[in-house]
Amino acid sequence: MMAAVLVTVLLLETVVFPGLALGGWRPSLVTLSVIAFALADGPETGLRYGFAAGLTADLLAGGDQLVGMSALVLLSIGYAVGCARPYLSGQPVGAVLLVAAIGSAAAVLLSGLLSVLLDAEAPRGFAVIEAALVVGLYDALLAPLVYRPVAALATRYTGNPVVG
Amino acid sequence: MLVSLVLLTLDYRQGETGVLAALQRGALTVFGPVQEGFAAVVRPVGGFFGAIGDLASLRAQNEELAADNEELREQVASLAELLQENAALRAQLEMRERLQLTTTGARVFAQPPGSFSYSRLLDVGAEQGVRVGQAVVNADGLVGKITEVTANNARLQLATTPSEGGYAVRIAETGEVGLLSGRGRNPYRFVLQNPEAEVERGSEVVTQMFGGTAIPDGIPVGIVEDSGGEPGRFLTVRPYVDFSSLDIVQVVLNAPEIPADLPQGALVPLEPAPRPDPPQPSRRTTAPGSAAPGTASGSPSETRS
């Protein structure tokens, strides 16, 4: 089930959303799906799914990124969001949006930072900050659309109660 | 009965000119207009009853026409997109003929995930003659080059990829050569080989052929925007190509012909190469076909792997 979601998200992000870029930046649906799974299911799932999603994204990115970079970033985000889950139960949907925005922005910043550290075709600092802001916002806008189906699927398959 | 027999015989014997024939004509003259009048009155009524029979077929015809109309409307809507595609392809064909390139059209169909991806996936591959190292252009100028090839797809690395190495280019007006590197969303950075050279704003920058490249000479790249602080240090070059709206591009299949006496790796201005023969349609995936001089040798400008 998670694989199906991952494939769908990747297809959407690579084929459909380049045409829907805001100011030249695409939303990061893969990150959103990681956050959604982490919120729905907890830190372990967030970690595992984040790793798998990041690894697949890295493999698809070709020479642009070192393989493993997105895996590291997304598993951290997945774990962090999953850990924040108990604090969010009972909060309204706004909390989900906030988490999505912060999570996505953090993912972009981490990716940029790692690129600089590992000296792999690093984008310039200003671009990273701009990307983090725009992608964070765009992801927050799309968060409800991604979160609802993912949460529904998660409850159906694991039976855990979900946030929001 | 006897009378009718008599009349029959009489008519038969008299034919066209006899009395009975005249009587017949008289009857026609009298009765004809009456019949006509009656027919004129009766015709609409007859038509009405006839139409009821036609009603079912008329309804079917109406539906068919409505469906046709709908289909034509849809076609008109996609017509605008076709016109746009047509215009783009025409412009690319013009560029290709002007520079005498052999190219194959390719569509950009995907972009890798991640926020900082500077590559695009194309729907042509080794089967269509694409090889690693080939240049990719569109009607505006240089888009990038091919870095990975599978049987039916290829990865196009954009010229704006942030990196230290890049493309060998020259100023079109003066011939000053140098190295152009991408800066992501920012304009290109152009480092001249001769730091003392004078460069004017608005000069055009085109690709420079050198030994060991598969990128043809003279492809427009961009326009010099800023001469930098000290003369000729770092120039910024604004690309001609709009990288955020790439749809159809051309992959240049023929490598420029390098004169035999040119040392490998030399970076010198050359006369434009004579037009090479078009490559044979090749199904080999191992040896690079028409880009033979392209990827094998190392070159001073291609420092990025």
Side-chain angles (χ1 to χ4, degrees), chain A residues 5-6 9 28-38 49 53 146 150:
Chain A
V5 172
L6 182 58
V9 161
S28 182
L29 290 180
V30 180
T31 316
L32 258 189
S33 67
V34 171
I35 294 177
F37 269 110
Y49 180 74
V146 173
V150 168

Short mmCIF file of all heavy atoms in Angstrom, two decimals, chain A residues 5-6 9 28-38 49 53 146 150:
data_model
loop_
_atom_site.label_atom_id
_atom_site.label_comp_id
_atom_site.label_asym_id
_atom_site.label_seq_id
_atom_site.Cartn_x
_atom_site.Cartn_y
_atom_site.Cartn_z
N VAL A 5 1.27 4.32 -2.86
CA VAL A 5 1.20 5.76 -2.60
C VAL A 5 2.48 6.43 -3.10
O VAL A 5 2.45 7.49 -3.73
CB VAL A 5 1.01 6.03 -1.09
CG1 VAL A 5 1.13 7.50 -0.81
CG2 VAL A 5 -0.34 5.53 -0.65
N LEU A 6 3.62 5.80 -2.82
CA LEU A 6 4.89 6.39 -3.22
C LEU A 6 4.97 6.54 -4.73
O LEU A 6 5.37 7.58 -5.25
CB LEU A 6 6.04 5.51 -2.71
CG LEU A 6 7.44 6.02 -3.02
CD1 LEU A 6 7.64 7.39 -2.45
CD2 LEU A 6 8.47 5.07 -2.47
N VAL A 9 2.71 9.33 -5.88
CA VAL A 9 3.24 10.65 -5.54
C VAL A 9 4.40 11.01 -6.45
O VAL A 9 4.51 12.13 -6.94
CB VAL A 9 3.65 10.65 -4.06
CG1 VAL A 9 4.59 11.77 -3.78
CG2 VAL A 9 2.45 10.78 -3.18
N SER A 28 6.93 19.65 -3.02
CA SER A 28 7.63 18.39 -2.83
C SER A 28 6.62 17.40 -2.29
O SER A 28 6.46 17.23 -1.09
CB SER A 28 8.79 18.59 -1.87
OG SER A 28 9.48 17.38 -1.72
N LEU A 29 5.92 16.74 -3.21
CA LEU A 29 4.87 15.83 -2.77
C LEU A 29 5.43 14.63 -2.03
O LEU A 29 4.77 14.04 -1.18
CB LEU A 29 4.07 15.33 -3.99
CG LEU A 29 3.20 16.35 -4.67
CD1 LEU A 29 2.49 15.71 -5.83
CD2 LEU A 29 2.20 16.90 -3.70
N VAL A 30 6.65 14.26 -2.37
CA VAL A 30 7.24 13.11 -1.68
C VAL A 30 7.39 13.44 -0.20
O VAL A 30 7.06 12.64 0.68
CB VAL A 30 8.60 12.75 -2.31
CG1 VAL A 30 9.20 11.58 -1.60
CG2 VAL A 30 8.43 12.44 -3.78
N THR A 31 7.90 14.64 0.08
CA THR A 31 8.04 15.05 1.48
C THR A 31 6.69 15.08 2.16
O THR A 31 6.53 14.64 3.31
CB THR A 31 8.68 16.44 1.56
OG1 THR A 31 9.75 16.52 0.68
CG2 THR A 31 9.12 16.75 2.97
N LEU A 32 5.69 15.58 1.46
CA LEU A 32 4.35 15.63 2.04
C LEU A 32 3.85 14.25 2.40
O LEU A 32 3.24 14.04 3.46
CB LEU A 32 3.37 16.25 1.03
CG LEU A 32 2.98 17.69 1.24
CD1 LEU A 32 1.87 18.04 0.29
CD2 LEU A 32 2.54 17.93 2.66
N SER A 33 4.10 13.30 1.52
CA SER A 33 3.60 11.96 1.81
C SER A 33 4.34 11.37 3.01
O SER A 33 3.75 10.66 3.81
CB SER A 33 3.74 11.06 0.58
OG SER A 33 5.09 10.82 0.28
N VAL A 34 5.62 11.70 3.15
CA VAL A 34 6.36 11.22 4.32
C VAL A 34 5.76 11.81 5.58
O VAL A 34 5.51 11.11 6.57
CB VAL A 34 7.86 11.62 4.21
CG1 VAL A 34 8.57 11.33 5.51
CG2 VAL A 34 8.51 10.88 3.08
N ILE A 35 5.49 13.12 5.55
CA ILE A 35 4.91 13.78 6.72
C ILE A 35 3.55 13.18 7.03
O ILE A 35 3.19 12.94 8.19
CB ILE A 35 4.81 15.30 6.47
CG1 ILE A 35 6.21 15.88 6.38
CG2 ILE A 35 4.02 15.97 7.56
CD1 ILE A 35 6.23 17.33 6.06
N ALA A 36 2.78 12.93 5.97
CA ALA A 36 1.44 12.39 6.19
C ALA A 36 1.50 11.01 6.85
O ALA A 36 0.78 10.73 7.81
CB ALA A 36 0.69 12.31 4.86
N PHE A 37 2.38 10.17 6.34
CA PHE A 37 2.49 8.85 6.94
C PHE A 37 2.99 8.93 8.36
O PHE A 37 2.56 8.17 9.24
CB PHE A 37 3.44 7.97 6.11
CG PHE A 37 2.74 7.18 5.05
CD1 PHE A 37 2.90 7.49 3.72
CD2 PHE A 37 1.89 6.15 5.39
CE1 PHE A 37 2.25 6.77 2.75
CE2 PHE A 37 1.23 5.42 4.43
CZ PHE A 37 1.41 5.73 3.10
N ALA A 38 3.92 9.84 8.60
CA ALA A 38 4.46 9.96 9.96
C ALA A 38 3.38 10.43 10.92
O ALA A 38 3.26 9.92 12.03
CB ALA A 38 5.64 10.93 9.96
N TYR A 49 9.33 4.73 5.98
CA TYR A 49 8.78 5.23 4.71
C TYR A 49 9.64 6.37 4.19
O TYR A 49 9.86 6.48 2.98
CB TYR A 49 7.33 5.69 4.91
CG TYR A 49 6.71 6.21 3.66
CD1 TYR A 49 6.33 5.37 2.64
CD2 TYR A 49 6.52 7.59 3.49
CE1 TYR A 49 5.77 5.86 1.48
CE2 TYR A 49 5.95 8.08 2.34
CZ TYR A 49 5.59 7.21 1.35
OH TYR A 49 5.04 7.70 0.20
N ALA A 53 11.22 6.31 0.55
CA ALA A 53 10.85 7.37 -0.40
C ALA A 53 12.07 8.15 -0.83
O ALA A 53 12.25 8.46 -2.01
CB ALA A 53 9.81 8.30 0.23
N VAL A 146 -3.22 15.74 0.40
CA VAL A 146 -2.42 14.53 0.51
C VAL A 146 -2.73 13.81 1.82
O VAL A 146 -2.75 12.59 1.88
CB VAL A 146 -0.91 14.88 0.44
CG1 VAL A 146 -0.06 13.66 0.72
CG2 VAL A 146 -0.58 15.46 -0.91
N VAL A 150 -4.06 9.65 2.64
CA VAL A 150 -3.02 8.85 3.27
C VAL A 150 -3.49 8.39 4.64
O VAL A 150 -3.32 7.22 5.02
CB VAL A 150 -1.71 9.65 3.36
CG1 VAL A 150 -0.73 8.95 4.26
CG2 VAL A 150 -1.12 9.85 1.98
#
